[in-house]
Amino acid sequence: MNNILKEASTLAMAAQIELPALLQALYRDGLSSYGKDRADWQANWEHYMQEAPPALISSYDFEWLDAEAIAQTINGWLKPESQNGRSFFPFAQSGAGDVFCLTAHEGECVVVYIWHDSDRHTIEAFSFADFMYSRLVTAMTDISHLVDDLSGTDKARSCLLADIRRLSTYLPAEDAARLQAYLERPVMETEVSYGRRTERLPCLITDEEYNLLMQGKRASVDWPVHIVARWDV
């Protein structure tokens, strides 16, 4: 776990992808780790989530990959020989096994979301810093998963704010300032309609405030690239 920066840098270099400075800093400072080890996390996860959270712990369905999982994902699936010469650096995954990766796109290093069982892939952000920022902004629009995990809105809010505060040290100053303007905001509810069904979701910002915070950021877009499925490699 302590060698994640060195090992990740080696894997990225082999894929001819330069790790963004922000990601290097997160690896260096242990923000992609879940406690000291698995046993520590299992025993103390609630404390970590509210006091010293892994980066983006408030983000729904997001889990950092360790160096071993990064290597396995590249060598077993997302290697250039299997993906028409395209290189990837997978750094996180969803619970279903879809992956967040760095890759080259039109001369830029972008963050893409690759589905393991579909070709509905997307460019999530056009820089790693924008990816981190947009995930935090999105987390502010719905904390229901944190309420479920931590059994209460107060603890959920504490987790989100701890995540924002910790990452503000690493984000561009303007982005950090935008987020910090909402740190005193209490939890409120917003109505969301799903056809005939309406739910009230706990959140820290409205839709209008979300749009305001995302001004100047390029939104997630479809990425029509065919990725050879994991089981076909």
Side-chain angles (χ1 to χ4, degrees):
M1 187 176 298
N2 293 331
N3 295 324
I4 179 68
L5 175 57
K6 180 179 179 181
E7 294 180 42
S9 297
T10 300
L11 291 166
M13 186 179 300
Q16 297 184 318
I17 293 174
E18 183 176 355
L19 290 183
L22 195 161
L23 180 54
Q24 291 185 48
L26 297 180
Y27 282 151
R28 179 197 66 217
D29 295 342
L31 269 72
S32 69
S33 299
Y34 297 92
K36 298 175 184 176
D37 51 36
R38 182 180 294 273
D40 177 45
W41 177 257
Q42 290 176 339
N44 302 295
W45 64 272
E46 189 168 351
H47 166 77
Y48 281 122
M49 286 184 72
Q50 295 180 82
E51 301 297 333
L56 296 187
I57 196 67
S58 62
S59 185
Y60 177 70
D61 204 15
F62 179 93
E63 179 183 350
W64 292 99
L65 298 175
D66 60 20
E68 181 179 0
I70 293 170
Q72 289 176 347
T73 304
I74 293 174
N75 296 328
W77 180 25
L78 296 176
K79 53 189 175 183
E81 309 92 277
S82 303
Q83 301 298 339
N84 301 308
R86 186 178 295 276
S87 296
F88 296 94
F89 180 82
F91 60 87
Q93 67 180 3
S94 71
D98 309 316
V99 287
F100 298 90
C101 300
L102 297 171
T103 194
H105 173 75
E106 297 181 354
E108 297 182 273
C109 182
V110 301
V111 177
V112 296
Y113 186 62
I114 298 176
W115 294 74
H116 75 285
D117 59 355
S118 170
D119 259 349
R120 296 178 295 160
H121 318 301
T122 54
I123 297 178
E124 291 293 294
F126 289 82
S127 74
F128 186 76
D130 278 358
F131 171 76
M132 299 296 291
Y133 173 81
S134 66
R135 295 294 290 194
L136 289 174
V137 174
T138 301
M140 294 169 73
T141 67
D142 179 7
I143 61 170
S144 56
H145 60 290
L146 296 175
V147 173
D148 292 340
D149 290 343
L150 294 165
S151 303
T153 56
D154 288 344
K155 290 181 178 180
R157 179 178 179 274
S158 294
C159 176
L160 174 57
L161 298 188
D163 201 9
I164 292 172
R165 288 191 181 101
R166 204 172 194 205
L167 285 174
S168 290
T169 305
Y170 300 86
L171 292 171
E174 182 179 350
D175 289 348
R178 285 182 177 184
L179 295 171
Q180 289 169 344
Y182 294 87
L183 291 181
E184 302 302 320
R185 178 69 63 86
V187 175
M188 54 187 172
E189 289 188 337
T190 185
E191 282 194 356
V192 178
S193 297
Y194 302 96
R196 297 181 179 180
R197 179 170 58 89
T198 299
E199 288 188 10
R200 297 188 66 84
L201 300 179
C203 60
L204 256 65
I205 60 174
T206 64
D207 288 343
E208 291 77 13
E209 288 167 330
Y210 171 85
N211 292 332
L212 180 64
L213 283 166
M214 291 302 294
Q215 280 185 356
K217 306 293 184 182
R218 284 185 282 180
S220 173
V221 297
D222 291 338
W223 193 49
V225 171
H226 175 66
I227 303 296
V228 178
R230 192 189 301 263
W231 51 84
D232 288 332
V233 172

